[in-house]
Amino acid sequence: MNQTIESLLSHRSIRKFNNQPISDEQRNVILDCARAASTSSFIQCTSVIRVVDQEKRRLLAEYAGGQPYVAEAAEFFVWCADFNRHLQIKPDAKLGFAEQTLIGAIDGALAAQNALAAAESLGLGGVYIGGLRNNPEKVSELLGLPMNVIPLFGLCLGHPAQNPEVKPRLPSSLYVHEDTYQLMDVDTLATYDQTIREYYRTRTGGNKEMSWSDQISGTLNKEARPFMKAFLESKGFSTR
């Protein structure tokens, strides 16, 4: 076990931060680590918007469903899939393919995970904000995102003012498959469900008792963000 592995295994989402700023040196290192992430075919189709304007922060917190830490964190970044930069190089670039949407999302996620891992190694904490996709058009307008650029998610970073437990992940036997896909073992799932139920009970002082299966059943009981396909197409993504 080394420090890198210990840092990765101790990941928690941090939603409360103190008022201490992140230094320019720390921020630059974090963003350098993001830029160093793997990128499909060296396309480099990720852009990051660092949001410092407090009114924009307030609006983004609102657009994300009322998440106050978007406005309160020392730093807030919006990660984007960006093919507009490529159009500036090759105006007749063939864009709009579904595969490019996947590449943009994957590249962005890899870069952002590098950034968060780097931040946590420096003693900082953070949380991803997928709620920006609740209002992708408003986010795009606020940040001046042109065609062929879409917001993927946000990332709050700061000095932690809380120390939550590590949320138990799926056991390896349900996560790792060898040679072929294997259906879940029901007994292992039942044990994990009880672990998650106890985690929520402890974390909320008994106000929430929900298994992972309960959570999945509720989450996948309806379509999330049914406007997303039309938004992607309006920005030039997944049109073919």
Side-chain angles (χ1 to χ4, degrees):
M1 189 80 73
N2 57 41
Q3 280 190 313
T4 299
I5 292 173
E6 289 176 357
S7 178
L8 291 171
L9 292 178
S10 63
H11 165 71
R12 293 85 43 83
S13 290
I14 301 297
R15 295 177 173 84
K16 293 182 180 179
F17 306 93
N18 64 31
N19 294 326
Q20 184 178 352
I22 292 175
S23 70
D24 291 345
E25 181 182 8
Q26 288 175 320
R27 184 181 64 253
N28 290 337
V29 166
I30 289 166
L31 292 174
D32 283 345
C33 288
R35 292 191 301 111
S38 297
T39 170
S40 179
S41 299
F42 203 49
I43 291 177
Q44 300 188 89
C45 56
T46 302
S47 281
V48 184
I49 311 295
R50 180 191 178 211
V51 185
V52 296
D53 182 274
Q54 286 302 306
E55 177 60 14
K56 288 187 176 182
R57 287 271 210 109
R58 185 190 70 79
L59 288 170
L60 289 171
E62 177 185 314
Y63 296 161
Q67 300 189 58
Y69 24 92
V70 171
E72 297 165 357
E75 295 282 347
F76 185 67
F77 302 103
V78 178
W79 299 83
C80 303
D82 179 3
F83 283 93
N84 183 275
R85 182 162 52 226
H86 306 78
L87 276 180
Q88 296 173 54
I89 297 169
K90 183 175 174 57
D92 60 346
K94 305 301 181 184
L95 300 179
F97 296 104
E99 170 66 5
Q100 291 167 340
T101 304
L102 286 175
I103 289 172
I106 293 168
D107 271 21
L110 292 173
Q113 186 61 19
N114 260 26
L116 182 55
E120 290 177 338
S121 78
L122 297 172
L124 304 171
V127 62
Y128 291 112
I129 307 296
L132 290 184
R133 297 193 302 279
N134 292 343
N135 289 284
E137 292 180 351
K138 290 183 177 179
V139 171
S140 296
E141 181 179 0
L142 183 69
L143 300 180
L145 304 185
M147 281 290 291
N148 302 110
V149 180
I150 54 172
L152 297 171
F153 48 82
L155 175 61
C156 298
L157 290 179
H159 294 268
Q162 62 177 172
N163 186 29
E165 296 178 54
V166 174
K167 183 179 284 188
R169 296 305 203 255
L170 282 168
S172 178
S173 60
L174 298 183
Y175 187 84
V176 180
H177 305 251
E178 188 168 319
D179 290 332
T180 61
Y181 187 89
Q182 298 151 28
L183 296 179
M184 287 191 299
D185 177 77
V186 293
D187 292 333
T188 304
L189 177 61
T191 299
Y192 179 65
D193 275 338
Q194 184 58 32
T195 299
I196 294 299
R197 193 177 286 110
E198 290 295 332
Y199 165 82
Y200 280 131
R201 183 183 296 124
T202 301
R203 180 173 175 175
T204 65
N207 292 322
K208 180 178 180 179
E209 292 191 20
M210 178 183 288
S211 71
W212 187 67
S213 293
D214 292 336
Q215 186 170 339
I216 294 305
S217 295
T219 301
L220 301 183
N221 193 43
K222 59 183 183 302
E223 181 182 5
R225 302 182 179 115
F227 49 79
M228 190 55 66
K229 186 174 185 295
F231 169 73
L232 290 173
E233 292 175 348
S234 75
K235 298 291 282 186
F237 285 77
S238 295
T239 59
R240 48 184 169 170

